[in-house]
Amino acid sequence: MFLHDVAELVGGQLDHATPETVVTGVNTLEQAREDQASFLANLRYKTKFEASHAGVVFLAGEIFPEAVRPIIRVADPYLAFALLQRHFNPDQRSDGLRHVSAVIDATARLAGNVDIGPLAIIGGNVHIGPGSRIGAGCIVEDGASIGESCIMHSRAVLGASCELGNNVILQSGAVIGSDGFGYAWTGHEHLKIPQTGRVLLEDGVEIGANTCIDRGAIGDTVIGRGVKLDNLIHIGHNVKIGAYSIMAGQVGISGSTVVGRGCQFGGQVGTAGHLRIGDGCKIAGQSGVIGDLEAGGTYAGMPAVPHRLWLKVSAIMLRLPEWWKRFGNRAGKRES
Amino acid sequence: MFLHDVAELVGGQLDHATPETVVTGVNTLEQAREDQASFLANLRYKTKFEASHAGVVFLAGEIFPEAVRPIIRVADPYLAFALLQRHFNPDQRSDGLRHVSAVIDATARLAGNVDIGPLAIIGGNVHIGPGSRIGAGCIVEDGASIGESCIMHSRAVLGASCELGNNVILQSGAVIGSDGFGYAWTGHEHLKIPQTGRVLLEDGVEIGANTCIDRGAIGDTVIGRGVKLDNLIHIGHNVKIGAYSIMAGQVGISGSTVVGRGCQFGGQVGTAGHLRIGDGCKIAGQSGVIGDLEAGGTYAGMPAVPHRLWLKVSAIMLRLPEWWKRFGNRAGKRES
Amino acid sequence: MFLHDVAELVGGQLDHATPETVVTGVNTLEQAREDQASFLANLRYKTKFEASHAGVVFLAGEIFPEAVRPIIRVADPYLAFALLQRHFNPDQRSDGLRHVSAVIDATARLAGNVDIGPLAIIGGNVHIGPGSRIGAGCIVEDGASIGESCIMHSRAVLGASCELGNNVILQSGAVIGSDGFGYAWTGHEHLKIPQTGRVLLEDGVEIGANTCIDRGAIGDTVIGRGVKLDNLIHIGHNVKIGAYSIMAGQVGISGSTVVGRGCQFGGQVGTAGHLRIGDGCKIAGQSGVIGDLEAGGTYAGMPAVPHRLWLKVSAIMLRLPEWWKRFGNRAGKRES
């Protein structure tokens, strides 16, 4: 791709660069060759930038004005890198190939160009929209529906009656629509309550490997538009996750909790059930959320509290031993 | 179902209700239509109760004696709701259907009415009892046995020689009988120790999606009668879990730990190995159990301590910054 | 096996033992019969040792010199037990059996004695080396390669272009090569960044059930020689784990973090991304690592700090309520 086309793709300005220079891919600053583009998003990597052999580097705004190497100046170097990487690695198109070993129910309705991989199973009355690709060993249970241009990676499971919108991606081993964890104690055993709801994944959702999303007890579990969930996440029954929220690996959201739009959860966060977490909350990794959280806040710890408070508490906790040594004893003396 | 039959099913008393009224299902208070039943278990939802269109509501005992809407008075409204929901959503019966694509070893012995789903794999010398349903893509390895009326959901795995009792449910992706994590350090590498035990799941056990239960190193890993394990749980080799214990998502129990009967573990709890956790222990979410726990206690935190103590400690920790500001400096002055 | 051969296998000395005694297996001290060997590694089990019916017991060095039962004295009883258990339970040999139901691409190149289980899927241009066994329902995607004497248990997934060295074991449900969690925020959505790297597992690696290892964004995620990962672990894109490190269940390592050689991570540990964890670090269960860690240290807590400090902090924290009661109020009085 010519540099001037790259600049146009990413909405950037060439600087010290020959527009006809060809770029064939992207790479990290350390690994990039002269025919590759790279990016610098964090000034502490300045040394890597200077040492890099990249043919062109995306930089933010006006930093390093003195640089005499090819640069494309953009508002967001990381985004520019992403746009170029997507250009060089476009999604495969579906070809309408159905592997002979796939088991496809006669009542399933598949758009013409849907790909079905080897040993995939498509159940009764399943709908699959144009451009979608169902990978090897996937299971789409009865009554489920899949929108356009979705991708199910090897061995993902879409449970009965559950729905994927358009452009949804399920990574390998994801389970959509397992039974919610619902029991009533009879006095001598846990009686299983049928889970009659579904799971709905809106457009643009991506679900990580081996992540599990339970169907609702009554009514549905809903994952909003553009949400991204990493691997090994647990979503309980009747949870609602607002659009564009993003959660790192091994998060657990207990049943009936409602998460707002645009939230960011670090890895291994856990939340109790029946909570309301407001829009735009940021929750640090390993936090334990046991009460409602106001919109726009940043939280950490167990129990989860405003991040600033947690930083102070943590700092003081680490000083307690020295302080206890000096002062803890005096408390004893003063009593006498 | 007529209301008088509902009352009989749940062992309740009609109040302000016409016995011949028909109920067709259950729903939440907010969603229920006039032909549906609902329940109120928590008085803080009184407003929802008053606004509900439900044809009848299960209430506990004598609360709201002034109510003039149809009510069925029961000891436990949530249990009554569960019983009615089960009535309207009975388990599917198995029909003895074996999908042509299933791979069933000639030495496997299956009761006549066992269902085997598409692309399921039944290994050598496997026994499966009457009424059991093996879902799409499930794998039952050599020598495993399954009791009566069990359900394996899509893609569950029952490992070699492992055993399910009666009425056991495995959700999608569950793995029963992976190798325990056993190695001996030789001085330069971790030498794998063959894991020769099995996993035994007693009657009425339910295992969540993508949950993993390791086979014993020598001797078995045993999950007791009526235990319910949620999704993404890790059970190490030679663990014993007592009857009717229940654990929420992403719990991890290290090898050889013995958990008593009737315990309740919140989500993301972790326990060390070789511990004894007494009967009836309740452990708050995210706790870290690193020593034996006495029966009947309620525990929280890391390290896990009696819940009351943890509440006090947590409350004080959050006040440390204000206190440190006022007092932390004085400690310095007094020294001089 | 004759005792004198056992002693030779484990490099030990017979004591009070008849060299021609036959041993048929190993067992725990409590369960062992007279034709079985056992071991004592921890002196607090002395009572079990004395009560045991084991035909011979591995003991360390010179402990219990007065014992008059058959003993084999070794440097490391647990290792001796492991060696003997491996002798009695050798790995199955592969036989070159390909199940008729397996789907094997015509371009795949498999060594002659490779086993392929029922309904396994072998993709285009896959290489599999001699002695390897691919279990039921496994999926080996296009371009992946597998070395010698590897084992993929039921339903494991090896993603496109990913590589296993020799003697690698994947437990059931493991996913190698899911997309890394890479997105760029455009201002209104998370834009997916193609993950173009691979996963490389070096010789002797073992991956637990349902564990997920993401492929690199650019460049590879590498798991070093002899590393052992337990179940339900999450490894983010571009992580490097040094040789012989070992991690218990449900650990989570965020992207681009580099873990040194010979580290030991307890269960449910979480680390942030882009960190460097030095060789030989030991990290207690449930710790949260949010900064680089120096080699050779032992760490605990969230945030993870030197273990000794964490022990002191934890001990003081549990005394805060009593101390606050006595002293917290005085702070108030002194102010006045």
Side-chain angles (χ1 to χ4, degrees):
Chain A
M1 196 184 192
F2 291 122
L3 271 194
H4 60 78
D5 291 326
V6 172
E8 188 176 338
L9 173 72
V10 304
Q13 299 276 354
L14 289 175
D15 190 359
H16 285 103
T18 315
E20 294 73 36
T21 307
V22 169
V23 168
T24 62
V26 305
N27 213 329
T28 60
L29 287 169
E30 297 121 300
Q31 305 280 345
R33 299 181 317 252
E34 284 165 16
D35 63 331
Q36 292 179 322
S38 192
F39 75 100
L40 177 68
N42 189 323
L43 293 190
R44 67 175 163 150
Y45 297 125
K46 183 178 182 187
T47 321
K48 291 189 184 182
F49 165 68
E50 287 162 351
S52 179
H53 297 288
V56 67
V57 179
F58 296 118
L59 286 188
E62 299 307 317
I63 67 168
F64 305 145
E66 71 286 358
V68 292
R69 60 183 300 159
I71 283 165
I72 294 179
R73 296 189 177 279
V74 288
D76 184 338
Y78 187 60
L79 177 59
F81 152 78
L83 290 167
L84 191 58
Q85 181 71 310
R86 288 171 62 87
H87 173 85
F88 284 119
N89 294 278
D91 279 344
Q92 261 181 267
R93 283 212 201 131
S94 70
D95 299 309
L97 295 179
R98 318 270 164 93
H99 198 274
V100 293
S101 67
V103 176
I104 304 177
D105 192 276
T107 58
R109 286 187 276 167
L110 278 46
N113 65 350
V114 165
D115 285 349
I116 307 287
L119 299 179
I121 300 167
I122 309 297
N125 298 306
V126 162
H127 288 210
I128 304 181
S132 286
R133 293 189 283 128
I134 310 303
C138 285
I139 298 176
V140 183
E141 296 184 355
D142 293 346
S145 76
I146 296 172
E148 299 186 23
S149 301
C150 291
I151 301 172
M152 285 180 68
H153 285 273
S154 297
R155 262 203 320 101
V157 173
L158 180 60
S161 304
C162 294
E163 296 186 13
L164 306 186
N166 303 319
N167 301 297
V168 172
I169 299 174
L170 303 185
Q171 295 291 332
S172 282
V175 175
I176 309 299
S178 32
D179 281 349
F181 199 58
Y183 304 92
W185 178 249
T186 65
H188 66 273
E189 66 167 338
H190 302 287
L191 191 66
K192 182 177 173 71
I193 302 174
Q195 304 290 296
T196 61
R198 306 165 302 166
V199 178
L200 310 179
L201 270 50
E202 297 186 355
D203 295 351
V205 166
E206 182 166 357
I207 303 296
N210 283 345
T211 280
C212 305
I213 303 187
D214 285 350
R215 68 178 61 247
I218 295 176
D220 302 322
T221 303
V222 181
I223 310 299
R225 166 188 293 265
V227 164
K228 310 295 181 185
L229 300 187
D230 201 351
N231 303 339
L232 291 161
I233 282 176
H234 164 60
I235 302 293
H237 52 189
N238 296 101
V239 163
K240 310 278 191 278
I241 299 184
Y244 305 109
S245 284
I246 186 163
M247 300 187 177
Q250 298 170 322
V251 164
I253 310 288
S254 299
S256 299
T257 280
V258 176
V259 176
R261 299 171 60 100
C263 290
Q264 300 176 30
F265 282 41
Q268 298 183 347
V269 165
T271 82
H274 298 273
L275 301 182
R276 298 197 72 91
I277 294 171
D279 294 346
C281 283
K282 297 182 189 183
I283 305 182
Q286 289 198 347
S287 299
V289 183
I290 58 177
D292 292 353
L293 297 182
E294 285 191 20
T298 302
Y299 300 93
M302 169 48 165
V305 293
H307 192 234
R308 273 199 190 172
L309 174 58
W310 181 82
L311 284 173
K312 290 181 188 170
V313 169
S314 296
I316 293 169
M317 273 175 43
L318 297 180
R319 298 196 59 188
L320 285 179
E322 69 179 81
W323 184 91
W324 185 271
K325 200 165 163 183
R326 275 173 24 183
F327 193 76
N329 295 332
R330 288 163 161 266
K333 290 182 185 161
R334 260 180 224 95
E335 290 280 23
S336 56
Chain B
M1 198 185 192
F2 292 122
L3 271 194
H4 61 77
D5 291 327
V6 173
E8 188 177 337
L9 173 72
V10 303
Q13 299 276 355
L14 289 175
D15 191 359
H16 285 102
T18 314
E20 292 74 37
T21 308
V22 170
V23 168
T24 62
V26 306
N27 213 329
T28 60
L29 286 170
E30 297 120 300
Q31 304 280 345
R33 300 181 317 252
E34 284 166 14
D35 63 331
Q36 292 178 323
S38 194
F39 75 100
L40 177 67
N42 190 324
L43 294 190
R44 69 175 161 151
Y45 297 125
K46 182 177 181 188
T47 320
K48 291 189 185 182
F49 165 67
E50 288 164 350
S52 179
H53 296 288
V56 67
V57 179
F58 296 119
L59 286 188
E62 300 307 317
I63 67 168
F64 305 145
E66 71 285 0
V68 293
R69 59 181 302 156
I71 283 165
I72 295 179
R73 296 191 177 279
V74 287
D76 184 340
Y78 187 60
L79 176 58
F81 152 77
L83 289 167
L84 191 58
Q85 180 71 309
R86 289 171 64 86
H87 172 85
F88 283 120
N89 294 276
D91 279 344
Q92 260 181 269
R93 284 211 201 133
S94 70
D95 298 310
L97 295 179
R98 317 272 164 93
H99 198 274
V100 293
S101 66
V103 177
I104 303 176
D105 192 275
T107 59
R109 285 186 276 168
L110 278 46
N113 65 350
V114 166
D115 286 348
I116 308 286
L119 300 178
I121 299 168
I122 309 297
N125 297 305
V126 163
H127 288 208
I128 303 181
S132 287
R133 295 189 281 129
I134 311 302
C138 285
I139 298 176
V140 183
E141 296 184 355
D142 293 347
S145 77
I146 295 173
E148 301 187 19
S149 300
C150 292
I151 302 172
M152 285 180 67
H153 286 272
S154 298
R155 265 206 313 103
V157 174
L158 180 60
S161 304
C162 294
E163 296 185 12
L164 305 186
N166 302 318
N167 301 298
V168 172
I169 300 174
L170 304 185
Q171 296 291 333
S172 281
V175 174
I176 309 299
S178 31
D179 281 350
F181 199 59
Y183 303 92
W185 179 250
T186 65
H188 65 273
E189 65 167 340
H190 302 288
L191 191 67
K192 182 177 173 71
I193 302 174
Q195 304 291 296
T196 62
R198 306 167 299 167
V199 179
L200 311 179
L201 270 50
E202 295 186 356
D203 294 351
V205 165
E206 183 166 357
I207 304 295
N210 284 344
T211 279
C212 304
I213 303 187
D214 284 351
R215 66 177 63 247
I218 294 176
D220 302 322
T221 303
V222 182
I223 309 300
R225 165 188 293 263
V227 164
K228 311 294 182 185
L229 300 187
D230 201 349
N231 303 340
L232 292 161
I233 283 176
H234 164 60
I235 302 294
H237 53 187
N238 295 102
V239 164
K240 309 278 192 279
I241 299 184
Y244 305 108
S245 284
I246 186 164
M247 299 187 178
Q250 299 170 320
V251 164
I253 310 288
S254 298
S256 299
T257 280
V258 176
V259 177
R261 301 170 59 100
C263 290
Q264 299 176 32
F265 283 41
Q268 299 183 344
V269 166
T271 82
H274 299 272
L275 300 182
R276 298 198 72 90
I277 293 171
D279 295 345
C281 282
K282 298 183 189 183
I283 305 182
Q286 291 198 344
S287 300
V289 182
I290 58 177
D292 292 355
L293 296 182
E294 283 192 20
T298 303
Y299 301 92
M302 167 48 162
V305 294
H307 192 235
R308 273 197 190 174
L309 174 58
W310 181 81
L311 284 174
K312 288 180 190 169
V313 168
S314 295
I316 293 170
M317 273 176 42
L318 297 180
R319 299 195 59 187
L320 285 178
E322 69 180 82
W323 184 91
W324 184 271
K325 199 165 164 183
R326 275 173 26 182
F327 195 76
N329 295 334
R330 289 163 160 267
K333 290 183 186 160
R334 260 182 225 94
E335 292 281 23
S336 59
Chain C
M1 199 183 191
F2 292 123
L3 271 194
H4 61 78
D5 291 325
V6 173
E8 188 175 337
L9 173 71
V10 304
Q13 299 276 354
L14 289 175
D15 191 357
H16 285 103
T18 313
E20 293 75 36
T21 306
V22 170
V23 167
T24 62
V26 306
N27 214 328
T28 60
L29 286 169
E30 296 120 301
Q31 304 281 344
R33 300 180 317 251
E34 284 166 15
D35 62 331
Q36 292 178 321
S38 193
F39 74 101
L40 178 68
N42 188 324
L43 293 191
R44 68 175 162 151
Y45 296 126
K46 183 180 181 184
T47 320
K48 290 189 183 181
F49 165 67
E50 287 163 349
S52 178
H53 296 290
V56 69
V57 179
F58 296 118
L59 286 188
E62 299 307 318
I63 67 168
F64 303 145
E66 71 286 358
V68 292
R69 60 182 301 157
I71 284 165
I72 295 179
R73 295 189 177 279
V74 288
D76 184 338
Y78 187 60
L79 177 58
F81 152 78
L83 289 167
L84 192 59
Q85 180 71 311
R86 287 171 63 88
H87 173 84
F88 283 120
N89 295 277
D91 278 345
Q92 261 181 269
R93 282 214 201 131
S94 70
D95 299 309
L97 295 179
R98 317 272 163 92
H99 198 273
V100 293
S101 66
V103 177
I104 304 176
D105 192 275
T107 59
R109 285 186 277 168
L110 278 46
N113 65 351
V114 165
D115 286 349
I116 308 287
L119 299 179
I121 299 166
I122 310 296
N125 297 305
V126 163
H127 289 209
I128 303 182
S132 286
R133 295 190 280 128
I134 310 303
C138 285
I139 298 175
V140 182
E141 297 183 355
D142 294 346
S145 77
I146 295 173
E148 301 186 20
S149 301
C150 291
I151 301 172
M152 285 179 69
H153 285 271
S154 298
R155 265 205 315 100
V157 174
L158 180 60
S161 305
C162 294
E163 296 185 13
L164 306 187
N166 302 319
N167 302 297
V168 173
I169 299 174
L170 302 185
Q171 295 290 332
S172 283
V175 175
I176 310 298
S178 32
D179 280 349
F181 198 59
Y183 304 92
W185 179 249
T186 65
H188 64 271
E189 64 167 340
H190 303 288
L191 191 67
K192 182 177 173 72
I193 302 174
Q195 303 291 295
T196 61
R198 306 165 302 167
V199 179
L200 311 179
L201 270 50
E202 295 186 356
D203 295 350
V205 166
E206 182 165 357
I207 303 297
N210 284 345
T211 279
C212 304
I213 304 187
D214 285 350
R215 66 177 62 248
I218 294 175
D220 303 322
T221 302
V222 182
I223 310 299
R225 166 188 292 265
V227 164
K228 310 295 181 185
L229 299 188
D230 201 350
N231 303 339
L232 291 162
I233 283 175
H234 164 59
I235 303 293
H237 52 189
N238 296 102
V239 164
K240 309 280 191 279
I241 299 184
Y244 304 109
S245 284
I246 186 164
M247 298 187 178
Q250 300 171 320
V251 164
I253 311 288
S254 299
S256 301
T257 279
V258 176
V259 177
R261 299 171 60 98
C263 290
Q264 299 176 31
F265 282 41
Q268 298 184 344
V269 164
T271 82
H274 299 272
L275 300 182
R276 298 197 73 91
I277 293 171
D279 295 346
C281 283
K282 297 183 189 183
I283 304 183
Q286 291 200 343
S287 299
V289 182
I290 57 176
D292 291 354
L293 297 182
E294 284 192 20
T298 303
Y299 300 93
M302 168 47 164
V305 294
H307 192 234
R308 273 198 190 172
L309 174 58
W310 181 81
L311 285 174
K312 289 179 187 169
V313 169
S314 296
I316 293 170
M317 272 174 44
L318 296 181
R319 300 195 60 187
L320 285 178
E322 69 180 82
W323 183 90
W324 185 270
K325 201 163 163 187
R326 275 173 25 184
F327 194 74
N329 295 335
R330 288 162 162 267
K333 290 183 186 158
R334 258 180 227 97
E335 291 280 23
S336 56

